[in-house]
Amino acid sequence: MYDLIGDIHGHATKLNQLLKKLNYTKNKNGVYQHPSRKVIFVGDFIDRGPEIREVLQIAKTMTDAGTALAVMGNHEFNILCYHTKNEAGEYLRPHSDKNQQQQQATEAAFRDHPEEWVMYLEWMMALPIWLDLEEIRVVHACWHPEHLAKVKQALSGNRLTPDFLQAAAIEGNWEYESVEILLKGIEQELPDGQFFHDKDGHPRNAMRVQWWRSPKGLTLKEYGIGAVFPDTAVPESWENNFCYEPGDVPVFIGHYWLKGEVTLKSPSVCCLDFSVAKGGDLVAYRWESGVELSDAHFVWV
Ligand SMILES: [Mn+2]
């Protein structure tokens, strides 16, 4: 049985509170464990928050001890690219002002602990991109069978390789597109050159979509997520977009900076990111084998 935990982004105090609320206790080695349950982290351990080093310490000791599983978030993928160079000696993720700003809290947390940082980079590199546990599925942003199958074949599994990381950092490569979809979700370019400002004030012309809904008959406002979009019908050309069916195997995700009431997105999609890094809650889902997903199984602090 699993307790799935959403994006933590450096909020160790909340993580400690949540693990205690879920009845995990520290063993003699200081590692959280539960007699009959395991945690699954949905990724995004780092960036933004004040206790990034502590969060990584808790998560890595748990995965090392086998009391937790974890998948990679887009922030872990980004920082791996930020610290890896290509053959020309350039960083895979440019050290632009915007990227530096995004990674600044994590850099600061490890400024005086360079060896530990190397250890955590290795740990992040080894995180699976998804977990397929038969009764449930876990991925940071979007369970997209086609992209997942392509990546799985190229990797002979679900973990990044150095070559794949290089390929996935170059826009235009299929590896880039597939990793974007799995770790950042599906984005759809707005019609007629429309654009909007995201939560950090950056102008964007592509909106994140609710891939667990069919776009047929929806407005941009109803189909988009993460900002307020116009209340106009989605373009007809979107009607055959990928949609994760309500009756499919339950999938657990993070990523979407949800606000407000903690509820399921669909009968088969459970998002656990309720914006702890923006004053929201850190949310878990207590999953029981053979029991349908239900809002009653959420726990948060
Ligand atoms: Mn996140």
Side-chain angles (χ1 to χ4, degrees):
M1 301 300 142
Y2 298 109
D3 296 310
L4 297 108
I5 295 182
D7 305 30
I8 305 163
H9 288 300
H11 285 267
T13 302
K14 286 258 191 180
L15 178 57
N16 279 304
Q17 288 168 358
L18 183 60
L19 287 167
K20 281 173 194 155
K21 195 167 181 177
L22 294 167
N23 300 114
Y24 285 73
T25 54
K26 282 187 176 177
N27 67 17
K28 61 177 181 351
N29 300 319
V31 182
Y32 279 107
Q33 61 175 28
H34 190 285
S36 59
R37 305 183 64 86
K38 274 185 196 188
V39 162
I40 302 180
F41 295 109
V42 302
D44 277 7
F45 301 91
I46 61 167
D47 295 339
R48 296 189 184 264
E51 305 152 317
I52 294 163
R53 190 172 166 230
E54 293 78 2
V55 167
L56 287 174
Q57 197 266 337
I58 293 167
K60 181 176 182 295
T61 55
M62 290 182 75
T63 58
D64 285 352
T67 64
L69 304 171
V71 296
M72 180 181 292
N74 59 309
H75 284 255
E76 284 77 49
F77 179 81
N78 284 347
I79 213 156
L80 286 166
C81 292
Y82 192 82
H83 285 275
T84 306
K85 288 178 177 173
N86 62 20
E87 279 184 352
E90 298 151 341
Y91 286 106
L92 299 184
R93 184 169 170 84
H95 289 201
S96 62
D97 287 349
K98 182 186 163 193
N99 292 345
Q100 275 186 37
Q101 197 199 336
Q102 194 174 88
Q103 265 117 200
Q104 177 233 328
T106 304
E107 300 293 311
F110 287 96
R111 199 157 288 141
D112 298 328
H113 310 280
E115 283 164 21
E116 243 182 64
W117 179 234
V118 171
M119 174 184 83
Y120 285 122
L121 281 173
E122 283 170 13
W123 178 75
M124 289 188 265
M125 182 72 185
L127 289 173
I129 305 172
W130 68 87
L131 287 170
D132 190 348
L133 302 168
E134 294 189 11
E135 279 190 87
I136 55 168
R137 297 167 167 173
V138 188
V139 69
H140 186 63
C142 175
W143 190 278
H144 193 298
E146 268 173 53
H147 288 281
L148 206 133
K150 275 189 351 187
V151 174
K152 187 177 177 182
Q153 191 177 18
L155 294 175
S156 305
N158 59 2
R159 289 180 165 80
L160 286 176
T161 61
D163 284 348
F164 193 93
L165 185 69
Q166 294 279 336
I170 299 167
E171 203 169 344
N173 286 350
W174 74 263
E175 293 92 339
Y176 178 95
E177 194 202 348
S178 291
V179 167
E180 286 266 315
I181 286 178
L182 300 176
L183 298 189
K184 300 177 192 175
I186 299 177
E187 291 193 6
Q188 197 85 41
E189 223 168 274
L190 288 167
D192 313 320
Q194 296 177 66
F195 71 95
F196 66 99
H197 289 98
D198 71 11
K199 64 184 182 330
D200 295 319
H202 301 297
R204 292 184 186 262
N205 64 355
M207 69 173 202
R208 291 178 172 181
V209 305
Q210 302 192 39
W211 47 267
W212 47 87
R213 299 185 76 175
S214 164
K216 231 178 178 154
L218 298 184
T219 65
L220 294 173
K221 193 177 173 182
E222 290 165 332
Y223 188 44
I225 185 165
V228 179
F229 302 100
D231 212 5
T232 51
V234 299
E236 254 176 59
S237 60
W238 294 13
E239 284 187 357
N240 293 318
N241 279 4
F242 168 73
C243 169
Y244 196 87
E245 297 297 332
D248 211 334
V249 175
V251 55
F252 291 87
I253 57 170
H255 189 63
Y256 284 98
W257 296 97
L258 301 180
K259 280 186 225 145
E261 221 183 321
V262 178
T263 56
L264 295 167
K265 300 314 291 179
S266 94
S268 62
V269 176
C270 179
C271 179
L272 293 163
D273 179 17
F274 284 82
S275 308
V276 68
K278 283 194 183 287
D281 297 315
L282 183 62
V283 175
Y285 186 93
R286 302 216 94 170
W287 178 76
E288 303 291 341
S289 176
V291 178
E292 272 182 35
L293 297 192
S294 138
D295 291 342
H297 291 237
F298 284 109
V299 177
W300 62 86
V301 294

